[in-house]
Amino acid sequence: ESVLLLSHAGCAVPCGVALRRAEPAPGGDVQGGGGANSEVRQIIWVDRHGKVTPVDVKPNQFQVPRLSPDDKQVALLVGNLGATDLWTLDLTRGTLSKRTFSGGAVGPLWSPDGKYLAYSFYPNVQGMAWTRADGAGQPEQLIDAPRLTIPTSFTPDGAQLIYTETVTAPNSIRVLSMNKNHTDRPLLTKNVSGRGVLSPDGKWLAY
């Protein structure tokens, strides 16, 4: 039986992309190398009425789909946990394009204008980077630190990036300026048990 594993609503009405376990072929097996994160999954579209439509892309070891601000692309991870790379899926053309090549990408996040994708890399090297969503240029490292940092929200103008640092318990939430200097400052350092997510208007933070 197919089971909805992860959804992400990114459009103006309740809808979005999601993953479900791919159905095995008769006498076959869709499992990957082992473990929950190696399962082969199918990308599906869920509309506001709950109707499920498979996206015409061959199932793979997909993880963490993220719909672009214009609802035309999906950023997602492909591979086993610890060896995942960041890809983008053009929903109009049905084409997948690889955006990182070093493995260990975690937590993709679209910039508000849809031009960039921020992400973490883990476990071999820890830090945070961003790259052009269209594949132009090279990824730019934002933070180089021996800790796991997860990008969670951009401010509506894209000028600042909210991220969660998980080097110690409890977590801490920090703000990174997206100017050339990438200055960094703490936002919340106490009583943080989750990841900080901004409201669409940028006035509230849930954590």
Side-chain angles (χ1 to χ4, degrees), residues 2 4 18 20 42-47 49-55:
S2 297
L4 187 66
R20 68 180 179 187
Q42 181 182 39
I43 303 171
I44 58 176
W45 181 265
V46 184
D47 71 12
H49 304 294
K51 179 182 177 182
V52 173
T53 304
V55 176

Side-chain angles (χ1 to χ4, degrees), residues 140-143 176-184:
E140 178 186 356
Q141 190 159 337
L142 301 174
I143 292 178
L176 181 70
S177 173
M178 301 309 293
N179 58 23
K180 292 183 179 179
N181 296 326
H182 295 313
T183 53
D184 175 75

Side-chain angles (χ1 to χ4, degrees), residues 7-190:
S7 63
H8 173 71
C11 41
V13 294
C15 61
V17 291
L19 299 177
R20 68 180 179 187
R21 297 189 186 108
E23 297 287 358
D29 189 354
V30 299
Q31 294 296 316
N37 289 294
S38 68
E39 286 181 343
V40 174
R41 296 165 180 153
Q42 181 182 39
I43 303 171
I44 58 176
W45 181 265
V46 184
D47 71 12
R48 63 184 301 175
H49 304 294
K51 179 182 177 182
V52 173
T53 304
V55 176
D56 189 18
V57 175
K58 184 180 179 180
N60 205 329
Q61 292 174 313
F62 295 128
Q63 300 181 50
V64 197
R66 295 289 183 262
L67 193 62
S68 63
D70 63 3
D71 304 334
K72 295 180 179 180
Q73 296 188 82
V74 179
L76 69 171
L77 305 177
V78 182
N80 288 319
L81 185 65
T84 50
D85 272 306
L86 177 60
W87 293 64
T88 56
L89 167 64
D90 186 313
L91 289 170
T92 302
R93 298 183 177 90
T95 54
L96 278 164
S97 300
K98 196 172 185 178
R99 298 302 182 219
T100 66
F101 299 86
S102 57
V106 180
L109 176 70
W110 288 95
S111 62
D113 60 9
K115 294 181 178 180
Y116 286 86
L117 283 161
Y119 62 96
S120 298
F121 31 94
Y122 179 84
N124 297 327
V125 179
Q126 297 183 20
M128 195 163 56
W130 72 343
T131 190
R132 287 279 302 239
D134 61 5
Q138 297 295 319
E140 178 186 356
Q141 190 159 337
L142 301 174
I143 292 178
D144 179 12
R147 59 185 186 266
L148 179 58
T149 53
I150 305 293
T152 55
S153 291
F154 279 96
T155 53
D157 60 3
Q160 298 181 90
L161 173 61
I162 309 297
Y163 71 94
T164 300
E165 179 183 270
T166 61
V167 65
T168 57
N171 299 338
S172 64
I173 298 173
R174 302 183 67 87
V175 181
L176 181 70
S177 173
M178 301 309 293
N179 58 23
K180 292 183 179 179
N181 296 326
H182 295 313
T183 53
D184 175 75
R185 63 180 175 85
L187 182 62
L188 290 171
T189 58
K190 296 181 179 180

